[in-house]
Amino acid sequence: MTDETRDVGGIGREEALALLAPERRGELRERAHETTLRCVERRFDFCAIINARSGRCTENCKWCAQSAHWKTGCESYGWVGAEACVKAAKEAEANGADRIGIVTSGRGLSPSDVDDVCAALRAMRNAADIGLCASLGLLSEPDLIKLRDAGLQRIHCNLETSPSLFPSLCSTHSVAEKLATLRAAKKLGFQICCGGIIGMGETDEQLVEFAFALKEIAPDSIPVNVLHPIPGTPLAERGILDPERVVDSVALLRLVNPSTPLRFAGGRRDMTDETAAKCIYVGMSAGIAGPLLTTPGADFDDDRELAVRAGYTVRKSQNMI
């Protein structure tokens, strides 16, 4: 059996690449839809996030408004505190979110930062009936143990793109460092949220590479961001990705990762509802809604309605009960 051999997911690398040919678009999408119906749980779950520390990041990620290397006018502030995190958790629960993620800018956390996040997690756990996730950069095993003991259930750390493209987009940390954080988190029993951004110049071959790199990680959730070009960043002139390429990318990710939730993330507000509905048809089965980091997020009610139309059940907001 070779790397190209079909597995339970039904597709190998060569076939995945071939399906991205324009003349096979219909086949790609229909196969992705059939895989979705066969393999994906018919429940559409939502996450919310709180931007708990913004800007002044030391890393030079070319897509990111929060990097101190670029002049973007991004709002900068320090740790928001446990009270703000609790407020966000309660609001997310009221909106029907299944979990909320604490997100901090920067390469990682200092020891005192870890203590602050742990205090917030304990307060959130006591105040709201909602799952707890965090995106905190690169983390050591001792830090992960503290966070787990404080109630954190899921770690978010994106690959961002294919391993071959990543070094041209960020040179201050590596894919290997991201994988070390993810492996440590898995070892300690965390759920894993790992995805990336499409529309940063990846070729068809690199899109396939990215999809299979995620398959190897086997995350519990794959957030699919679409680049929203930020003025002042090196990717500012790339423009919004063609909607048809967005749909094809989601379809490919679904075929390679047949049962993993694919999650609307950044860039959702740049899509029409028609494009979003096509994405759900070919495999998107979860979402992040509400305010994001430096861009507006999807509306809970809009995406909840699209999901219900597609045959998914959803957690209702308190306003709907």
Side-chain angles (χ1 to χ4, degrees):
M1 302 290 279
T2 70
D3 185 50
E4 310 304 333
T5 303
R6 285 177 180 267
D7 56 19
V8 174
I11 194 169
R13 291 175 189 256
E14 288 185 0
E15 187 179 14
L17 182 59
L19 282 169
L20 287 172
E23 64 272 17
R24 297 187 69 179
R25 171 171 285 162
E27 180 187 354
L28 168 67
R29 295 183 180 185
E30 287 308 308
R31 284 180 59 176
H33 177 63
E34 291 166 7
T35 299
T36 301
L37 293 177
R38 186 174 69 250
C39 300
V40 177
E41 181 183 4
R42 303 306 291 172
R43 184 179 184 281
F44 202 101
D45 80 85
F46 284 96
C47 295
I49 64 175
I50 175 171
N51 189 4
R53 184 177 71 192
S54 180
R56 300 192 295 268
C57 182
T58 59
E59 308 305 284
N60 66 356
C61 307
K62 289 184 177 180
W63 60 86
C64 186
Q66 299 198 63
S67 172
H69 294 259
W70 325 127
K71 294 181 180 180
T72 63
C74 167
E75 185 178 8
S76 295
Y77 51 82
W79 171 244
V80 297
E83 185 176 343
C85 292
V86 167
K87 181 175 183 289
K90 290 180 176 179
E91 289 176 352
E93 181 186 11
N95 278 321
D98 295 87
R99 69 187 58 79
I100 184 167
I102 297 175
V103 183
T104 56
S105 66
R107 181 181 178 87
L109 300 180
S110 69
S112 63
D113 292 335
V114 173
D115 291 342
D116 286 341
V117 174
C118 286
L121 289 167
R122 286 189 287 267
M124 294 161 79
R125 185 178 61 191
N126 290 331
D129 180 19
I130 194 167
L132 299 178
C133 178
S135 182
L136 308 168
L138 305 175
L139 295 165
S140 68
E141 188 168 321
D143 289 342
L144 286 164
I145 290 171
K146 288 182 180 179
L147 293 162
R148 182 193 64 186
D149 292 348
L152 189 63
Q153 299 158 318
R154 179 174 288 195
I155 286 290
H156 170 266
C157 183
N158 275 346
L159 280 190
E160 303 300 1
T161 188
S162 68
S164 67
L165 182 60
F166 185 85
S168 69
L169 295 171
C170 176
S171 63
T172 49
H173 62 273
S174 67
V175 171
E177 288 173 300
K178 289 175 172 290
L179 291 173
T181 293
L182 291 166
R183 290 189 188 109
K186 271 202 164 187
K187 174 185 173 184
L188 293 170
F190 283 98
Q191 298 170 12
I192 299 297
C193 182
C194 180
I197 308 168
I198 56 176
M200 296 198 293
E202 66 276 0
T203 64
D204 284 357
E205 290 81 3
Q206 287 168 329
L207 179 60
V208 171
E209 180 192 358
F210 173 53
F212 278 90
L214 291 171
K215 182 183 181 72
E216 187 172 344
I217 292 167
D220 299 280
S221 172
I222 297 176
V224 184
N225 297 271
V226 183
L227 180 70
H228 178 88
I230 303 292
T233 66
L235 299 187
E237 304 306 316
R238 285 217 63 88
I240 301 295
L241 189 62
D242 176 13
E244 298 306 314
R245 175 67 171 185
V246 174
V247 179
D248 290 347
S249 299
V250 173
L252 182 80
L253 288 166
R254 170 53 65 218
L255 284 176
V256 177
N257 300 274
S259 60
T260 308
L262 301 180
R263 186 175 302 278
F264 283 119
R268 165 64 183 93
R269 286 288 289 269
D270 294 325
M271 300 179 197
T272 64
D273 282 352
E274 179 184 5
T275 297
K278 289 181 180 179
C279 287
I280 293 174
Y281 182 83
V282 300
M284 206 76 91
S285 60
I288 300 175
L292 299 179
L293 299 180
T294 61
T295 58
D299 181 85
F300 275 99
D301 290 339
D302 287 350
D303 280 8
R304 188 180 285 116
E305 182 177 346
L306 288 175
V308 170
R309 284 183 191 172
Y312 287 90
T313 61
V314 296
R315 183 178 181 177
K316 294 182 178 180
S317 75
Q318 293 183 2
N319 295 329
M320 298 173 65
I321 297 174

